[in-house]
Amino acid sequence: MRRLIAVAAVVSAILGLAACGESEQVIVYKQGKYQGKPDGKPWEGEPLLVTDAKWTKGDKASWEERIKQRNQGQNEYKRIYQQ
Amino acid sequence: MARMKFLCDAERCIECNGCVTACKSEHEVPWGVNRRRVVTINDGVPGEKSISVACMHCSDAPCMAVCPVDCFYRTDDGVVLHDKDLCIGCGYCFYACPFGAPQFPQAGAFGLRGKMDKCTFCNGGPEEDRSAVEFQKYGRNRLAEGKLPACAEMCSTKALLGGDGDVIADIYRERVFKRGKGSEVWGWGTAYGPGKPGAAPAPAAGAKS
């Protein structure tokens, strides 16, 4: 009888401590993956003939150079002094 | 190349709404949708400041994080775009965006919410570049034409700068040096205070400029 009580006490202690477990409180967000259609790159097309835009088709570096050059159009200090 | 970024100089913006008009006109944006708008702080009070706001093409975009159908993607140049064929118009991105960039066209008598529309940095979307379909869905693809966003290029006072992040930062820095003020509005000083990293921020004293 005494043994049975001891076993019951141990079991109840284990069950009681089970509630003290620590579960993760912070949700870990799993970054989604794009599910849509693939998009082309801006430098993959031919430059328009009607503008002064020049780059080599498919060459990213030349397109970037073109964009950087065009960006200077927003710098009025350079625009004014160049004239 | 650095990431494509916008920067609006509040010292220069005169609230003309030229950027808004340029965007509307360039992309034939439908009625009720504003990809870009001008926000004025302390409107009517002497010293009011205006700033032009659109999608800021965040490096860690909340819209991308919350989209249940994962219709957002980021281009090699750091432009955040989305696939309208996939968008379900749920509006989560609108709640997540700190700038209110996602817009939803109202369709029908009951105001049904259409697919999300937002600033594309004039870079179209996932359709053939410079095609009619791309224009209809996303607007003009100026980057693929070797141009920069219409809003920034049309800005009369050049308050709104748009393009390669490094280049526009250089333009802005040069401007600040020339006029002798404005450095405190953006950058290290605003975020962390003057001096070296870790230095105590400067006490707030009077007006910014």
Side-chain angles (χ1 to χ4, degrees):
Chain A
M1 185 64 186
R2 192 173 274 183
R3 202 174 182 180
L4 190 68
I5 290 169
V7 170
V10 169
V11 168
S12 60
I14 290 169
L15 285 173
L17 284 172
C20 300
E22 200 171 326
S23 59
E24 190 64 54
Q25 300 284 305
V26 180
I27 295 169
V28 178
Y29 174 72
K30 191 171 169 241
Q31 187 71 39
K33 195 171 182 304
Y34 175 56
Q35 301 290 328
K37 289 183 279 188
D39 190 13
K41 315 283 186 204
W43 51 87
E44 284 173 352
E46 290 278 3
L48 291 180
L49 295 173
V50 291
T51 64
D52 61 340
K54 296 280 178 290
W55 73 86
T56 314
K57 184 185 174 184
D59 180 21
K60 186 183 178 189
S62 63
W63 177 81
E64 284 178 353
E65 203 47 50
R66 156 70 196 164
I67 289 292
K68 280 182 182 169
Q69 188 193 337
R70 175 99 176 182
N71 239 162
Q72 290 305 324
Q74 294 175 35
N75 186 354
E76 67 277 88
Y77 291 116
K78 284 211 170 146
R79 275 170 58 194
I80 291 165
Y81 296 141
Q82 275 170 359
Q83 282 171 359
Chain B
M1 179 187 254
R3 311 176 74 81
M4 293 292 185
K5 287 290 176 199
F6 284 121
L7 195 159
C8 188
D9 186 351
E11 291 290 324
R12 287 193 176 206
C13 181
I14 56 170
E15 201 190 350
C16 71
N17 278 279
C19 49
V20 178
T21 311
C23 178
K24 278 257 183 194
S25 167
E26 186 76 358
H27 304 296
E28 296 181 12
V29 179
W31 182 254
V33 172
N34 285 298
R35 290 184 176 185
R36 178 169 285 286
R37 64 211 175 282
V38 178
V39 176
T40 303
I41 312 292
N42 294 333
D43 200 357
V45 179
E48 65 174 30
K49 298 282 182 207
S50 297
I51 187 170
S52 178
V53 185
C55 172
M56 300 301 277
H57 301 277
C58 307
S59 303
D60 185 9
C63 54
M64 289 179 95
V66 300
C67 180
V69 291
D70 289 329
C71 73
F72 289 92
Y73 64 103
R74 187 179 288 107
T75 68
D76 292 353
D77 315 305
V79 180
V80 176
L81 298 175
H82 71 297
D83 186 344
K84 279 192 181 177
D85 292 344
L86 214 57
C87 175
I88 55 173
C90 67
Y92 272 22
C93 51
F94 178 78
Y95 292 114
C97 178
F99 305 103
Q103 302 280 301
F104 294 88
Q106 301 290 310
F110 298 101
L112 291 170
R113 193 157 56 188
K115 288 173 187 289
M116 191 273 277
D117 189 273
K118 74 169 191 69
C119 159
T120 62
F121 209 89
C122 289
N123 196 12
E127 295 290 346
E128 190 191 338
D129 283 352
R130 305 190 318 219
S131 65
V133 182
E134 185 185 50
F135 179 74
Q136 200 179 8
K137 282 186 188 171
Y138 306 101
R140 196 169 297 283
N141 192 339
R142 288 172 61 89
L143 288 191
E145 295 174 359
K147 299 173 186 169
L148 286 161
C151 51
E153 296 208 307
M154 289 286 285
C155 180
S156 55
T157 58
K158 288 287 166 273
L160 183 63
L161 302 170
D164 184 318
D166 289 343
V167 177
I168 60 168
D170 286 344
I171 295 172
Y172 185 73
R173 193 176 306 113
E174 185 186 359
R175 184 183 292 180
V176 165
F177 281 138
K178 284 226 174 13
R179 73 181 175 209
K181 63 174 185 176
S183 62
E184 71 282 8
V185 179
W186 300 103
W188 188 267
T190 302
Y192 306 109
K196 291 178 182 173
K208 279 189 171 177
S209 53

